[in-house]
Amino acid sequence: MNCKEMCHFYLLLTLTFILIYASEVLAGLREIQALIEEGRLLEAERMLSTYRPSSEERPLYHLIYARTLARLGRFNQSLGHLRLSIASGTAEVKEEALLERARLYLRLKFYPEASMCFRLILMLFPESRFKREASVGLAESLRKQGYYEEALKYYEQAGNSLEALYGKANALHQLSRYEEANRLYKELLLRDSGFLKTSPETVLLIAENMAVLNKTDEAKRFLASVKEPPYRYRA
């Protein structure tokens, strides 16, 4: 199970937990959530479109609707429902809606918006169970904007996950700290090179790092493996 699949699985578990222990007014939402877990997204969306949530249900309703729309590729509508969930939600639902919004902005490459949402999570929920993910997300969105020093700080706060450490190595390379980046890249490649399948940008940066350090054969090997646009055009 890759990082994205694990993240989706964890979100389903979290949302299911909320629904199980919520009041009986959420029975209709539990039925819709069951459809989502079965992958019956269009049926779930049809039910959500006609569902009339009570005031108690509204924050969770908008969160569920947002996640369904995002999985259907309807991102702008998803963002609209996330705004409504954040505006009306309890702390727990607001936290999840903020995280979902940050993830979606990052996926859409709206990096300033993503970094703002990740910052809010860390500021409003300092003990959040999503703290590590929010730190990595903030670091990644900052790095994408060229704020490498600040990004490095949040990668280091995020711990020793592969995503955080590869991100840290990328930031070091982009700060021209080539030797440090190279040492970390080598450690990570020995530990688990599978992450590279999920990050063509990292493959390209490793190739650039090898080239800068005159490791030509290794650089060529990594460059040859870059297939995904737009990175293959930079390779």
Side-chain angles (χ1 to χ4, degrees):
M1 185 180 290
N2 61 35
C3 184
K4 186 180 290 185
E5 289 170 338
M6 287 180 66
C7 180
H8 175 62
F9 177 71
Y10 182 71
L11 284 174
L12 286 177
L13 283 180
T14 303
L15 195 52
T16 301
F17 177 84
I18 293 173
L19 288 169
I20 288 173
Y21 290 97
S23 63
E24 283 304 311
V25 299
L26 300 180
L29 292 181
R30 283 200 293 273
E31 181 182 353
I32 295 170
Q33 178 62 20
L35 292 175
I36 295 169
E37 291 174 4
E38 293 169 11
R40 296 159 64 184
L41 299 177
L42 291 174
E43 291 178 63
E45 196 279 330
R46 281 195 293 271
M47 288 186 67
L48 285 162
S49 68
T50 59
Y51 194 85
R52 294 295 175 263
S54 66
S55 58
E56 292 90 349
E57 293 175 301
R58 198 166 293 128
L60 193 54
Y61 163 81
H62 287 297
L63 178 57
I64 293 171
Y65 209 156
R67 286 176 172 164
T68 304
L69 291 168
R71 290 181 64 187
L72 288 168
R74 292 156 60 180
F75 303 124
N76 286 336
Q77 289 175 277
S78 177
L79 287 168
H81 282 281
L82 287 171
R83 281 192 289 271
L84 292 171
S85 181
I86 292 165
S88 59
T90 60
E92 186 173 17
V93 175
K94 188 188 297 286
E95 178 186 5
E96 289 201 46
L98 266 173
L99 183 67
E100 196 74 25
R101 189 177 183 184
R103 287 190 186 117
L104 189 50
Y105 277 139
L106 188 60
R107 179 179 178 182
L108 295 173
K109 302 182 180 180
F110 295 169
Y111 300 124
E113 293 84 353
S115 58
M116 178 186 68
C117 289
F118 284 124
R119 281 188 198 278
L120 277 173
I121 293 165
L122 294 172
M123 181 179 68
L124 297 176
F125 308 99
E127 303 303 319
S128 173
R129 62 190 183 280
F130 304 118
K131 187 173 183 177
R132 286 190 179 185
E133 183 184 347
S135 295
V136 172
L138 177 54
E140 190 70 5
S141 58
L142 289 168
R143 186 179 67 80
K144 293 287 191 177
Q145 296 175 77
Y147 302 129
Y148 304 129
E149 289 282 4
E150 190 178 6
L152 191 60
K153 179 181 77 172
Y154 285 103
Y155 282 127
E156 289 173 344
Q157 287 182 13
N160 294 320
S161 70
L162 286 172
E163 189 177 10
L165 291 174
Y166 270 112
K168 179 181 177 180
N170 291 341
L172 286 169
H173 172 75
Q174 290 170 308
L175 283 165
S176 302
R177 293 163 61 176
Y178 301 123
E179 293 286 356
E180 290 176 76
N182 188 263
R183 285 194 295 272
L184 186 51
Y185 281 137
K186 285 186 173 180
E187 289 175 18
L188 291 168
L189 289 169
L190 288 172
R191 174 177 161 185
D192 187 343
S193 62
F195 176 83
L196 298 183
K197 295 177 182 178
T198 70
S199 180
E201 181 198 17
T202 298
V203 179
L204 182 60
L205 290 175
I206 292 174
E208 289 178 0
N209 182 265
M210 298 296 182
V212 168
L213 296 175
N214 296 316
K215 300 179 180 184
T216 308
D217 290 341
E218 290 178 87
K220 287 179 179 178
R221 179 166 61 86
F222 281 103
L223 283 174
S225 69
V226 179
K227 306 297 183 185
E228 296 82 353
Y231 301 106
R232 67 181 177 185
Y233 303 119
R234 290 172 54 190

